[in-house]
Amino acid sequence: MPPTAPPESASPGSGAPGPASPAAAGWRKVPVLVVGLTLLLVAMLTAFALPAINSGPHKVPIAVAGPGPAADRIADRLAEAKPGAFRIEKVADADAARERIDDRDAYGAVVLGTKPGAKPKVLIATTAGPSVAATLRALALTLDPAAAGVGATVHDLYPPTSDDPNAVGLSAGALPLVLGGYLAAAAIVLLLRSPAQRAVTALGFALLGGFSLTALLQYGFGITDGNYLLISLAVAFSTAATSVTIMGLHAVLGGRGLGLGAAMMIFLGNPLSGLASGPEWLPSGWGTFGQFLPPGAGGTLLRSTAFFDGAGCGRALIVLGCWLVGGLALFTLGARVASKRAAVGAGAPAPQEERAAVPAR
């Protein structure tokens, strides 16, 4: 039987469909990429700009201390001055108001005098949120004279350092913290293949990066003068939660995991972190949602350890711990699946053609 001739490729004028050239396939991707990248740009602008232009106080917790009727008048005055801006809690006295601020349960307080004509005091904590502190300073000048004397004196219980008088240095580190953890995870999964090597590298980076970044913030820029060890561990924990989550998503989803991680950490997490002004300064609901993402929880943990000796960081620790455990679970699952695939591939029998080509001994 004569050998069968190989099929001829279709000539340009034959009308028969031929295989698509690489150039033609590439041109078909051009409009998809143009539209996709444009939508990505629009999504990024929306995620960053919309919270910014709608920012302002939204149910900021404020304490009011003083006699019942006077406290009621001040609470009504605050509510009328900025409707919906404050969530007012009445406390017994100045000590209770200070305790609320110390525990990060309130951003500030109005303490009324017990004597007739005594000026009220406005307690603020600039390092808890510079924008909230500035708002309370302005309100101190507009308190109803008929309710509690003329004007009010302002006491800053947690002032910023002399090297960072406007308390903006910590917020400048929001994007580097998020982006650094993401880029580290991406570099680790692209350059290392062994799961053990990836895990050790991520842990080493989180620890060294946490202590190095805190040294720069505290001793290089003078942004904080808190407990160096405590702040360093907070930064390391936040970095580990971000990096391990990204690595876990990559282990399960591959390259799509890196894209999903970028969307969560950078496009959503960073603008909704509230590190610059506090989550209550973002639109209602957005700031709360941001606190359940690693950048928001990490920012709260960093501010609490940097200026308040760790007060008010309980929820942030729980959120970051959940992300870290979840990332480790995904990472372990992905490593096991990859190991099983490698074992199956190594033990697979040779194809029929290859076995037939091996000469018998």
Side-chain angles (χ1 to χ4, degrees):
M1 181 177 181
T4 304
E8 296 182 359
S9 59
S11 60
S14 63
S21 65
W27 279 110
R28 283 199 294 268
K29 296 179 182 178
V30 169
V32 177
L33 285 172
V34 170
V35 174
L37 292 175
T38 301
L39 292 176
L40 177 63
L41 185 63
V42 171
M44 290 178 61
L45 179 61
T46 302
F48 279 83
L50 197 57
I53 63 178
N54 289 282
S55 63
H58 297 85
K59 297 182 180 180
V60 177
I62 299 295
V64 175
D72 291 337
R73 287 193 294 269
I74 288 296
D76 293 339
R77 173 62 179 166
L78 293 175
E80 292 173 2
K82 288 186 175 295
F86 302 111
R87 177 166 53 85
I88 300 171
E89 178 187 3
K90 299 173 186 176
V91 295
D93 50 27
D95 291 336
R98 286 175 176 267
E99 184 178 354
R100 302 294 291 174
I101 298 174
D102 293 339
D103 294 339
R104 299 210 65 194
D105 293 324
Y107 280 85
V110 178
V111 179
L112 305 178
T114 57
K115 297 180 180 179
K119 288 186 177 182
K121 296 180 181 179
V122 175
L123 308 180
I124 63 174
T126 300
T127 51
S131 300
V132 177
T135 300
L136 292 177
R137 284 183 181 275
L139 284 176
L141 303 176
T142 63
L143 293 179
D144 189 355
V150 179
T153 57
V154 179
H155 297 273
D156 196 344
L157 302 183
Y158 291 90
T161 63
S162 58
D163 292 325
D164 183 27
N166 296 319
V168 297
L170 200 66
S171 61
L175 183 59
L177 279 173
V178 177
L179 194 59
Y182 175 82
L183 293 178
I188 289 171
V189 299
L190 293 177
L191 298 177
L192 299 175
R193 298 300 178 191
S194 168
Q197 293 175 354
R198 289 176 175 178
V200 171
T201 304
L203 177 61
F205 164 74
L207 289 173
L208 182 59
F211 280 87
S212 300
L213 199 94
T214 303
L216 187 61
L217 289 174
Q218 185 156 336
Y219 304 118
F221 301 148
I223 293 174
T224 176
D225 54 4
N227 187 308
Y228 172 73
L229 177 61
L230 185 64
I231 303 171
S232 299
L233 292 176
V235 175
F237 190 45
S238 302
T239 304
T242 300
S243 300
V244 172
T245 298
I246 299 298
M247 290 168 54
L249 291 173
H250 178 270
V252 174
L253 302 176
R256 291 173 297 176
L258 295 179
L260 179 59
M264 288 194 307
M265 304 300 177
I266 300 175
F267 298 157
L268 285 178
N270 183 62
L272 299 183
S273 66
L275 183 56
S277 55
E280 290 83 3
W281 204 256
L282 296 172
S284 297
W286 291 39
T288 302
F289 174 72
Q291 291 301 297
F292 288 97
L293 296 175
T300 297
L301 179 61
L302 176 59
R303 189 176 293 279
S304 293
T305 53
F307 302 116
F308 295 87
D309 294 327
C313 66
R315 187 178 69 175
L317 287 172
I318 294 174
V319 170
L320 290 172
C322 291
W323 282 99
L324 181 61
V325 172
L328 285 173
L330 292 176
F331 181 76
T332 303
L333 175 62
R336 288 182 177 178
V337 171
S339 178
K340 289 181 180 179
R341 288 177 179 174
V344 171
Q352 183 69 27
E353 295 80 358
E354 295 182 4
R355 293 202 303 268
V358 177
R361 295 185 179 178

